[in-house]
């Protein structure tokens, strides 16, 4: 990796200068010639040891048709390197996508913490963020129903701080000793090696049915939070309670929240299923396009929930319990800065795959609490990086290396290239120079929390209420969101083969909400079993609007995508106005045509297509426009893809702009007339109202009554 960001596919000036630049002559016609594009000049190819390569297309052979020679060191080294290209994928969060950016602090928080990123208004700290799904393997689909990882590495002047969070503020388990069981249960079943990237199977629900502490998290994973529209539209959470510590050693409890500037948005389950087929890289592509193609870097604000021991003592739940939130209504968020993701990695493997997050990476001014899950994670992440990256020196890879001076007496080990210089490699020593020394003043000091107790394996009584916040979450949702939770449970449990497992899950639901239990039982066609007797009776907590996606929706179409189906004869004024209105709204058009070559407008202008009809189901877009001319309708409507496009746009509650002629296409899928989510676009003047309506994102009355 170079320090300078490189323009993709454009050689650096260095690599194209002088001796390095070679013209490749086409090889003689012996059957092994290559057809290099005319501008294929580039830097000279070498072996890993720097030896110039003369032929990269033919192995060394004895005679034209003779056997290969072992002496061909270029061939052997090339294959050897290729054979070792894979490293173990992450045991969880294997599928991910990342971007570089920066965190900008709004105001000094030096009264609360001495952590470097929070010292000065306007101060910028470089970052790298990786988003991920949890359950699926590296090659799985983006729109699995799953938790999303949201991990950010801050390259501070006092070392790296990793905030390794999720898009859900609670977790399944209270004790880290259960993590391997949770993950085993969620991933493919071991005998059959399926299902991939989904929790809709017996093992997962068997485990959950026996683990009531997971039920709050289950409400979140069955909600629309688990099928986000893209990374750009998700919240993020540090989950645990941390400590912020100021220069005087005073500690304040803190929970970290990321808030997307564009608001939250999710897809429907039916859309998720279709997107996974049509574009398994939907979330990756979205982030790539936002940064690389549109130059519209996504942003999040960092909000802190700050509280003291008094609040911790009087709060209804234990602040060390990761299965609980602190409602924003009780401790409001203080917005302290913004995260901007503005640069994609130069190389996915080097950066996104090799980035090694560790919850143990904190900097002076940030400290842990006794949350047992956090304490367990602090062991697991360091250990897993050794397994994945193969050396304790993984901190020297450019993506993991701190951007501040590093001095210590660590030495040797695989791939070391930073061992101490000189004679001193231990401490104390009497050499001069004698190497680095600890700094009691500025160095990391743990908060001096008094600790005592019996050495035992037990769960605190204060962790015992597993249902009240699950109920609070469910009751804080809109009716539509509640219906989606019920539908998700029906879908997932519908895939569970063993009736006793379904029954055991059902038996927990009345303690969350009787209505939910009834809906799920009815959807499954099962009787409600005898409810489980909770260890602690749930209480009714105040509804929290901050828990609902819909109640917090930001009314904007900015950063969203409209699929525009065009045909020959499309009206220029309508298409041009639509394009300019979308651009003014900060939204993105995708022109879809029956053939990728494009169409010719009424005025005779050739419009190239961005997508061909068959590759562009309407599930891929936030809203659609169907601008068919009367002459083109019969031909386009004959395409199955066009009819599915229309039918799904209706079924998914999309805002639809359409020509009068396009009514014939909708009529073919059983839709006569137009509801209030469908806009007639016959002239330029019809366009603005349609584009502003799209800020509502979905026309719910059509699909939810
Ligand atoms: Fe974890 C990866 C988030 C509990 C053990 N975890 C991992 C990643 C995220 C989280 C975002 C991917 C980081 C990346 O992009 O590389 N994990 C969480 C959250 C948790 C949580 C928010 C609960 C609050 N995790 C958790 C526990 C354990 C682990 C309780 C073990 C005791 N997690 C790991 C790991 C991983 C990991 C095995 C696998 C790959 C990696 O670390 O780098 O160490």
């Amino acid at each position: 990796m170079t320090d300078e960001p490189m323009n993709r596919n454009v050689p650096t000036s260095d690599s194209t200068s002088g001796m390095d630049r070679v013209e490749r002559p086409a090889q003689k016609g012996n059957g092994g010639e290559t057809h290099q594009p005319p501008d294929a000049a580039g830097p000279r190819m070498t072996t890993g040891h720097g030896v110039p390569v003369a032929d990269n297309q033919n192995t060394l052979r004895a005679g034209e048709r003779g056997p290969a020679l072992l002496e061909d060191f270029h061939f052997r080294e090339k294959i050897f390197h290729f054979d070792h290209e894979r490293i173990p994928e992450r045991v969880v969060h294997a599928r991910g996508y990342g971007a570089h950016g920066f965190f900008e602090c709004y105001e000094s928080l030096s009264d609360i913490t001495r952590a470097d990123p929070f010292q000065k208004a306007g101060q910028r700290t470089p970052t790298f963020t990786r988003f991920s799904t949890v359950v699926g393997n590296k090659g799985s689909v983006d729109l699995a129903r799953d938790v999303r990882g949201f991990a950010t590495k801050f390259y501070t002047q006092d070392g790296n701080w990793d905030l390794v969070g999720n898009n859900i503020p609670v977790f399944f388990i209270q004790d880290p000793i259960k993590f391997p069981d949770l993950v085993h249960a969620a991933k493919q079943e071991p005998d059959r090696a399926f299902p991939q990237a989904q929790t809709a199977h017996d093992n997962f629900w068997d485990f959950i049915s026996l683990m009531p502490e997971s039920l709050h998290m289950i409400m979140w994973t069955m909600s629309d939070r688990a099928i986000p529209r893209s990374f750009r539209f998700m919240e993020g959470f540090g989950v645990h309670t941390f400590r912020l510590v100021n220069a005087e050693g005073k500690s304040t409890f803190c929970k970290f929240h990321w808030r997307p500037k564009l608001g939250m948005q999710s897809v429907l389950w039916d859309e998720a299923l279709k997107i996974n087929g049509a574009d398994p890289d939907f979330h990756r592509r979205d982030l790539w396009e936002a940064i690389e193609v549109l130059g519209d870097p996504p942003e999040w604000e960092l909000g802190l929930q700050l509280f003291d021991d008094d609040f911790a003592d009087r709060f209804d739940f234990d602040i060390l319990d990761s299965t609980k939130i602190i409602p924003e209504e009780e401790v409001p968020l203080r917005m302290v800065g913004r995260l901007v993701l503005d640069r994609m990695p130069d190389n996915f493997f080097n950066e996104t795959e090799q980035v090694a997050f560790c919850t143990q990476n904190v900097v002076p001014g940030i400290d842990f609490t006794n949350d047992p899950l956090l304490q367990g994670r602090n062991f697991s992440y360091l250990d897993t990086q050794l397994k994945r990256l193969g050396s304790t020196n993984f901190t020297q890879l450019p993506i993991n290396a701190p951007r501040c001076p590093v001095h210590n007496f660590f030495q040797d080990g695989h791939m070391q290239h930073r061992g101490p210089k000189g004679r001193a490699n231990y401490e104390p020593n009497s050499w001069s120079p004698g190497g680095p020394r600890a700094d009691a003043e500025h160095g990391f000091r743990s908060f001096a929390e008094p600790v005592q107790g019996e050495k035992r394996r037990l769960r605190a009584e204060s962790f015992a209420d597993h249902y009240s916040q699950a109920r609070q979450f469910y009751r804080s949702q809109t009716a539509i969101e509640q219906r989606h939770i019920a539908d998700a449970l029906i879908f997932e449990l519908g895939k569970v083969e063993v009736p006793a497992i379904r029954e055991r899950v059902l038996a927990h639901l009345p303690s969350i909400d009787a209505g939910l239990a009834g809906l799920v039982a009815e959807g499954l066609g099962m009787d409600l079993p005898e409810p489980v007797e909770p260890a602690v009776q749930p209480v009714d907590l105040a509804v929290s609007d901050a828990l609902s996606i819909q109640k917090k929706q930001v009314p904007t179409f900015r950063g969203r995508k409209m699929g525009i189906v065009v045909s020959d004869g499309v009206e220029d004024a309508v298409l041009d106005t639509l394009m300019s209105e979308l651009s003014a709204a900060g939204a993105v058009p995708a022109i879809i045509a029956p053939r990728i070559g494009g169409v010719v407008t009424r005025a005779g202008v050739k419009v190239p297509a961005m997508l061909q009809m068959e590759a562009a189901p309407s599930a891929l877009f936030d809203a659609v426009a169907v601008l068919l001319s009367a002459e083109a309708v019969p031909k386009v409507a004959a395409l199955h893809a066009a009819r599915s496009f229309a039918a799904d746009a209706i079924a998914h509650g999309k805002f639809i702009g359409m020509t009068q002629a396009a009514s014939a296409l909708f009529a073919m899928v059983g839709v006569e007339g137009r509801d209030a989510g469908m806009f007639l676009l016959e002239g330029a003047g019809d366009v603005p109202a349609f584009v502003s309506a799209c800020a509502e994102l979905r026309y719910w009355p059509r699909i939810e009554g």
Side-chain angles (χ1 to χ4, degrees), residues 22-37:
V22 287
E23 300 296 329
R24 295 199 189 89
Q27 299 188 9
K28 294 268 154 55
N30 61 359
E33 70 267 48
T34 61
H35 301 279
Q36 300 280 9

Side-chain angles (χ1 to χ4, degrees), residues 90 93 130 165-166 171 179 240 357 377 380-381 384-385:
R90 289 164 174 84
H93 296 265
R130 182 176 179 271
N166 281 338
F171 203 62
F179 191 67
H240 313 282
F357 293 98
R377 292 178 75 194
S380 182
Y381 289 72
T384 211
Q385 305 315 346

Side-chain angles (χ1 to χ4, degrees), residues 618 645-654 656 666 669 671 675 678 699 702-703:
S618 56
F645 186 98
D648 276 350
I650 294 287
H652 298 149
K654 303 252 144 97
I656 300 171
F666 286 93
V669 296
V671 180
D675 62 31
M678 299 168 82
Y699 182 64
R702 185 188 308 141
I703 50 177

Side-chain angles (χ1 to χ4, degrees), residues 598-612:
V599 296
V600 178
T601 67
R602 175 82 58 214
V605 179
K606 176 100 181 153
V607 177
M610 300 171 187
L611 291 162
Q612 185 155 327

